[in-house]
Amino acid sequence: YYTVWNEDPKKGKIANISEMLVQEGLATVRGTSVGKDDEEEEETTTQSRQKHLKELQEKAKSEEKGIWAKDEQILENNTYEVVFPATAAYDHFKLQEAVHKDGDSAEGIVETISLPCCYNVLLPKYKTIIKLSLEYVHNPPGGPKATEAQQKLSRRAKAFAERLILHQNVTISLTTYEATSTSFMGRLLINKDKDVACEMLANGYAKLPKQTGSMEPEYYAKLRIAMHQAQVGRKGLWKDEAKGTEAEEVKGANFTGRVTEIQSGDSLTVINTATGEEKRYFLAGVRAPTLATKANPDKEQPYAWEAKDFARRMVIGKTVEVEIEYSKVPGKPDEEPSEPKKPAMTFVNVLFGGKVFNVEIVSAGLASVVNPPLDKVLSKYYGEMVAAAKKAKDAKKGINSVGSHPVHTLQDMYGQTNQKTIAYYQEFFSKNRRVTGMVEHCITGSRLKVRINEANCYIAFVCQGILPLPQDPNQPQIDKIFKQAQRFAKLNLLQRDVEVEILSSDKKSNFFGILTVNGQNYALSLLEEGLALVNYMPGRGPTVKRELYEQAEQKAKKAQKGIWDPNENISLELIRPSASVFTPLEGKSSIEIVSYPNNNFFYAVNTDTTVLKKIEAVMAKEFDPTKAEKLLAPIKRGTYCMALYSEDKKWYRGIIDRVISEDICSVLFIDYGNCEEVQVTGMRRLDQKFLKDMPAQAIKIGLAYIEMPTLDTVAGGKKLRSILQNLLDERELVALHKYSDEGITYAILLQDNESDPMKSFNAYLLKRGYAKISKRVKFPEYLHEWKDIQDKASSDQEGFWATNELAGGSDDETYQKIFTILN
């Protein structure tokens, strides 16, 4: 037994609690006994204190205080019978209803504490004691099966609760009732504002379960924030567990980066500006609606498109601060170890311009707040996100709205084969050349998939006037430039708002034109970086401003960027011919025609073989087929290689002209102009050093200013080729160079001892009606007599004029007439 002293608030001095209770008539004096061995002085002191208490009791009696009152009404008002749980008089339904009528809360006193989060609370107004367990929280383990350390922590937790609320006035609210335990679940406040559950969680003396749909989100978030304090401070339950958390491992891993792609409203790709690492991240604590996929085209959730577009408009291309929260490997916990390990998902906060994107997308009503795993440290923006979610919900924004939701349907023209559909959009763009859109995907540096706002469709868009290098792993230097161009497009175009001017289109649903982003012609930017060549395409609708494109190319060339970097060792002499650049030429050469792949151009070699012999000498000395790398599959048309020629079993420079199968390709030998089918095992990778400064000796020759029908698919076409061979084979010809276009040198061909264009093979074909004057180029005045020849051939119905083929007609009957005439 103890004597307790306390400061008397009324008298302002130290007082004996026992004396105060007796004096107010709130306690009675009981008898006391002293041990036989106690000293006399001790016995005298005890008797003295007992005597003083009795005197105070007598005084309280005389003044009729407290229990000594004689007024029955006073006694009745201050005496009542309390109803306890599990008794016949206990009715939890009526009690809960009464509390509800009184504003969903009641005043009480904590009588006893059974567990750290379970209490017996007296409700004076209802003369009832209830069992109350704190809503959502779990007690720390402390039963018989708990470890000694757990039992110790449980005792500490209970002692904390006793110091906090035992015999204190509290305010309670009731939520549910559990009949098996005759206990209410509810909330308990001290001084009407301090939440006991938060206090227990913040000090590590309680733990939250995983959130379920039945839990009130705002209140659960409040509790989660409280538990976060204990996790960070390593208190109570988290003292040992917190040491190995993910947050500790990623400390210092935050970085500055640039957003390069948006996958959805809650995931994005960011490139670390310091390390160059590019990775997909997921917003911590946020879940946006799910987009449809190819596998699940009908699974798109409402507002998924809006969420992705909101994210795109907010952060694409911007510099952001990335705060890493935690990582998680997707999949079920019980997955078999033999299954391939999935890459970890990294959850982050994204900050930009003084804003937190996680909060912004929730505030817009385009994402909901989710809780990270309970063993992960809570985001410091969690409270802001929860508050933003409540505001969005109250305002009925986005996913919180009622009624119908937006539906987005776009026609995908990329790879479209339906000619009626293609014709419809070609007609649309002929009337609406300038439109706005967004780049959905970068296929190459200049070929893009663009969403067109005005037409509500996706199109395959190609930047007109430029030619990027092809993707080809078998030509590493070229493949490197291809990847750089594709990367440049991704960093500067992907998911950006753009303006598009459609200049032309083709039957394969490709649309050609000018693309502008942030007021800058993108094609010019690509040229200035040395990642493309000028590729002028006459006859394909309105043209680009060629001089601007050539200036941009010259700028890159002067700065030695990309293609023009001498260290890349790229043979531009062999790449440039594939670019469609119309260039006037002068000069002449002595040639011999060696093959006829097309009626409108032939392969020829120079009769002077000095350069060819030097190339053969270099290749024989420096190329070793046993050390050269084999070609990687899939092999592509246009790849330069070394190929084994069947007749002499020697290796020569070549280019893949056609892929026949996985094992066989048709190879054009670029120094000789002949083709041969070669086994893949008989081909090797050709380093660019064997191409640079050693131009191909076989050149494409076309007949200047005229054109002939290409009829390779019918017998008449083959007969025409036979006529050309009879005319040109085994002759030493003089080629008067006039212009080049699409890698073909167009010339007026004459016999070696001739110089008069009227006696050229070009004029002869016009005279026989096998050719007509081309409209693709400006016809020179000094050749006006050729027009007279053509007019006469047309009026006399010579050659193809008899079948109207040169005027554009073509059907089976026409082909049969041509075949008859040529025979």
Side-chain angles (χ1 to χ4, degrees):
Y1 294 94
Y2 296 87
T3 298
V4 181
W5 298 83
N6 193 22
E7 184 179 358
D8 185 339
K10 292 182 180 180
K11 298 179 179 179
K13 63 179 183 179
I14 298 299
N16 184 312
I17 298 299
S18 302
E19 293 178 357
M20 291 174 65
L21 288 170
V22 172
Q23 188 174 320
E24 295 299 321
L26 298 175
T28 58
V29 179
R30 62 183 177 184
T32 183
S33 59
V34 180
K36 293 181 181 179
D37 297 331
D38 288 336
E39 297 179 4
E40 184 177 348
E41 182 182 352
E42 228 175 14
E43 183 177 350
T44 303
T45 301
T46 302
Q47 290 175 345
S48 174
R49 290 176 180 170
Q50 189 82 357
K51 180 179 179 182
H52 181 60
L53 287 173
K54 288 182 178 180
E55 290 174 353
L56 292 175
Q57 179 172 281
E58 290 301 321
K59 184 178 180 182
K61 282 183 181 181
S62 64
E63 294 176 358
E64 300 182 358
K65 287 184 176 181
I67 60 175
W68 310 113
K70 295 181 179 179
D71 188 332
E72 295 295 331
Q73 188 62 47
I74 293 176
L75 292 174
E76 185 177 344
N77 291 342
N78 288 279
T79 307
Y80 53 86
E81 187 174 332
V82 175
V83 177
F84 286 86
T87 61
Y90 190 75
D91 190 333
H92 70 276
F93 288 112
K94 286 185 178 180
L95 178 61
Q96 200 164 5
E97 185 178 353
V99 172
H100 177 68
K101 287 181 179 180
D102 288 340
D104 286 327
S105 64
E107 300 304 315
I109 302 169
V110 178
E111 287 290 309
T112 59
I113 293 176
S114 52
L115 291 171
C117 299
C118 300
Y119 321 122
N120 292 318
V121 182
L122 170 65
L123 304 181
K125 182 175 181 179
Y126 310 105
K127 298 181 179 180
T128 302
I129 286 181
I130 63 168
K131 292 181 182 178
L132 181 68
S133 296
L134 296 179
E135 186 178 26
Y136 303 161
V137 300
H138 287 174
N139 289 292
K145 294 183 179 181
T147 65
E148 183 178 346
Q150 288 175 330
Q151 290 178 350
K152 183 178 180 180
L153 179 64
S154 179
R155 291 193 296 270
R156 285 171 50 203
K158 183 178 178 182
F160 176 83
E162 289 174 342
R163 292 194 299 273
L164 183 68
I165 57 172
L166 184 60
H167 295 164
Q168 296 288 322
N169 291 326
V170 294
T171 302
I172 60 104
S173 59
L174 308 177
T175 52
T176 58
Y177 180 77
E178 293 183 356
T180 54
S181 61
T182 64
S183 176
F184 281 100
M185 302 295 291
R187 305 173 192 179
L188 192 149
L189 302 177
I190 308 170
N191 298 326
K192 299 186 182 296
D193 59 358
K194 183 186 287 189
D195 192 299
V196 173
C198 288
E199 293 297 315
M200 298 299 293
L201 289 165
N203 285 276
Y205 293 132
K207 199 171 186 178
L208 281 173
K210 186 176 179 180
Q211 186 178 10
T212 64
S214 62
M215 295 179 177
E216 183 185 319
E218 290 79 12
Y219 185 61
Y220 184 89
K222 180 181 178 181
L223 298 180
R224 187 68 198 275
I225 292 170
M227 189 171 76
H228 171 247
Q229 296 177 28
Q231 289 176 303
V232 173
R234 297 179 182 177
K235 296 179 180 180
L237 288 163
W238 307 102
K239 184 176 181 180
D240 297 322
E241 293 185 40
K243 290 180 181 178
T245 61
E246 202 81 28
E248 179 77 6
E249 295 172 10
V250 300
K251 186 177 180 181
N254 300 339
F255 65 91
T256 300
R258 182 183 178 191
V259 179
T260 58
E261 187 175 358
I262 304 295
Q263 284 81 23
S264 65
D266 56 15
S267 66
L268 67 172
T269 299
V270 183
I271 182 170
N272 188 317
T273 53
T275 66
E277 180 187 14
E278 190 171 19
K279 183 179 176 181
R280 183 179 179 182
Y281 297 94
F282 299 84
L283 297 183
V286 166
R287 181 174 296 151
T290 304
L291 285 158
T293 61
K294 288 184 179 180
N296 297 296
D298 301 323
K299 297 296 184 181
E300 183 158 309
Q301 295 177 334
Y303 293 95
W305 190 92
E306 283 78 8
K308 180 179 179 180
D309 204 54
F310 177 85
R312 179 187 70 83
R313 287 184 283 107
M314 288 287 281
V315 297
I316 189 66
K318 291 186 178 179
T319 298
V320 297
E321 297 296 322
V322 179
E323 297 178 347
I324 298 178
E325 290 284 350
Y326 63 93
S327 294
K328 174 186 175 184
V329 176
K332 299 177 181 179
D334 57 351
E335 277 186 331
E336 293 294 329
S338 59
E339 294 185 14
K341 188 176 181 180
K342 299 175 182 177
M345 301 167 67
T346 303
F347 292 83
V348 301
N349 301 313
V350 176
L351 286 67
F352 69 103
K355 299 179 180 179
V356 181
F357 181 61
N358 309 50
V359 177
E360 293 299 315
I361 195 166
V362 171
S363 183
L366 297 173
S368 56
V369 180
V370 294
N371 291 289
L374 292 171
D375 60 338
K376 307 300 179 186
V377 175
L378 196 65
S379 168
K380 60 183 177 182
Y381 305 106
Y382 181 71
E384 293 180 48
M385 289 190 287
V386 171
K390 188 176 187 308
K391 287 183 180 179
K393 184 177 181 181
D394 294 341
K396 297 181 179 179
K397 287 184 179 180
I399 58 176
N400 304 293
S401 61
V402 294
S404 59
H405 58 84
V407 177
H408 302 276
T409 304
L410 284 85
Q411 173 71 47
D412 195 345
M413 287 294 295
Y414 192 88
Q416 178 64 250
T417 57
N418 187 303
Q419 291 302 312
K420 287 185 177 180
T421 305
I422 294 172
Y424 170 82
Y425 283 98
Q426 286 175 332
E427 176 69 17
F428 173 86
F429 288 118
S430 69
K431 297 177 180 178
N432 305 271
R433 288 197 177 277
R434 288 182 172 85
V435 291
T436 61
M438 185 272 292
V439 177
E440 184 72 23
H441 186 54
C442 300
I443 296 92
T444 69
S446 65
R447 182 178 176 82
L448 315 163
K449 184 175 183 179
V450 182
R451 184 183 80 206
I452 303 299
N453 299 327
E454 291 83 352
N456 205 36
C457 70
Y458 293 107
I459 65 169
F461 179 84
V462 181
C463 294
Q464 187 162 314
I466 62 173
L467 177 74
L469 271 57
Q471 180 181 22
D472 191 350
N474 288 309
Q475 300 182 99
Q477 295 98 323
I478 291 175
D479 197 60
K480 177 182 176 181
I481 299 296
F482 166 85
K483 291 177 179 177
Q484 288 177 354
Q486 188 181 47
R487 180 68 177 163
F488 184 81
K490 183 176 180 180
L491 291 176
N492 293 278
L493 290 183
L494 185 61
Q495 297 181 330
R496 307 303 203 284
D497 291 318
V498 295
E499 294 178 0
V500 174
E501 182 180 358
I502 303 295
L503 299 178
S504 60
S505 61
D506 61 19
K507 292 182 179 180
K508 295 182 179 180
S509 71
N510 295 306
F511 292 87
F512 303 84
I514 299 171
L515 183 141
T516 303
V517 57
N518 297 325
Q520 174 68 34
N521 183 336
Y522 166 72
L524 294 178
S525 300
L526 202 63
L527 287 168
E528 289 176 355
E529 292 297 321
L531 300 175
L533 297 168
V534 174
N535 186 31
Y536 180 66
M537 296 182 289
R540 181 169 281 169
T543 59
V544 298
K545 293 182 178 180
R546 182 178 176 183
E547 62 275 10
L548 293 178
Y549 282 53
E550 290 176 346
Q551 288 172 12
E553 185 181 270
Q554 286 300 316
K555 185 177 179 181
K557 187 174 183 180
K558 185 177 180 180
Q560 297 185 336
K561 286 185 174 182
I563 295 169
W564 310 102
D565 184 349
N567 296 320
E568 296 296 344
N569 215 24
I570 294 175
S571 174
L572 297 174
E573 292 81 5
L574 295 179
I575 295 170
R576 176 68 82 176
S578 62
S580 179
V581 181
F582 181 89
T583 307
L585 298 175
E586 292 181 355
K588 63 180 181 179
S589 60
S590 180
I591 63 169
E592 182 180 338
I593 307 297
V594 293
S595 64
Y596 302 82
N598 186 293
N599 287 348
N600 281 297
F601 76 86
F602 329 117
Y603 280 105
V605 293
N606 202 308
T607 55
D608 182 356
T609 59
T610 303
V611 176
L612 177 61
K613 288 180 179 178
K614 289 182 179 180
I615 292 173
E616 289 176 338
V618 169
M619 298 308 298
K621 180 181 179 181
E622 297 188 23
F623 177 76
D624 185 350
T626 61
K627 295 180 180 179
E629 296 182 49
K630 294 181 180 180
L631 296 188
L632 301 173
I635 297 173
K636 295 184 177 182
R637 183 177 181 271
T639 296
Y640 287 96
C641 64
M642 289 295 286
L644 189 65
Y645 187 46
S646 60
E647 289 191 15
D648 59 9
K649 303 301 180 183
K650 293 183 179 180
W651 295 84
Y652 297 98
R653 298 192 303 172
I655 186 173
I656 307 298
D657 183 59
R658 183 163 55 96
V659 178
I660 298 171
S661 68
E662 291 183 359
D663 302 318
I664 301 175
C665 294
S666 174
V667 177
L668 169 70
F669 293 96
I670 64 174
D671 296 315
Y672 306 94
N674 60 309
C675 282
E676 181 174 88
E677 291 185 4
V678 182
Q679 294 280 341
V680 172
T681 55
M683 292 185 285
R684 294 291 185 272
R685 185 180 291 183
L686 180 60
D687 194 288
Q688 287 285 312
K689 72 179 182 180
F690 294 127
L691 293 171
K692 191 175 183 182
D693 301 327
M694 293 196 298
Q697 295 303 290
I699 58 173
K700 284 183 180 180
I701 287 287
L703 296 172
Y705 306 120
I706 68 171
E707 58 185 51
M708 292 173 284
T710 300
L711 303 174
D712 293 340
T713 57
V714 296
K718 294 180 180 178
K719 191 66 178 179
L720 176 58
R721 183 172 299 177
S722 177
I723 290 174
L724 293 171
Q725 288 173 328
N726 289 333
L727 279 173
L728 304 173
D729 266 2
E730 298 181 0
R731 292 177 183 269
E732 189 170 326
L733 304 172
V734 174
L736 304 179
H737 304 166
K738 296 303 175 182
Y739 58 90
S740 67
D741 188 20
E742 294 185 335
I744 301 173
T745 298
Y746 287 89
I748 295 176
L749 293 185
L750 298 143
Q751 294 192 65
D752 188 37
N753 57 350
E754 292 288 348
S755 60
D756 184 0
M758 288 298 294
K759 294 182 180 180
S760 66
F761 290 100
N762 309 53
Y764 175 79
L765 292 167
L766 287 171
K767 182 179 179 179
R768 292 298 304 272
Y770 298 147
K772 68 176 182 178
I773 293 174
S774 174
K775 294 182 180 180
R776 286 172 55 87
V777 293
K778 185 178 180 180
F779 192 75
E781 286 296 326
Y782 76 91
L783 295 176
H784 62 88
E785 291 180 274
W786 285 17
K787 290 185 178 180
D788 298 334
I789 294 174
Q790 176 179 272
D791 292 343
K792 188 175 188 307
S794 177
S795 63
D796 293 347
Q797 293 289 288
E798 291 284 352
F800 292 115
W801 294 109
T803 59
N804 201 36
E805 174 60 17
L806 289 177
S810 60
D811 52 37
D812 291 341
E813 185 179 352
T814 297
Y815 291 143
Q816 186 57 46
K817 288 179 181 178
I818 294 170
F819 179 69
T820 304
I821 290 169
L822 292 176
N823 278 336

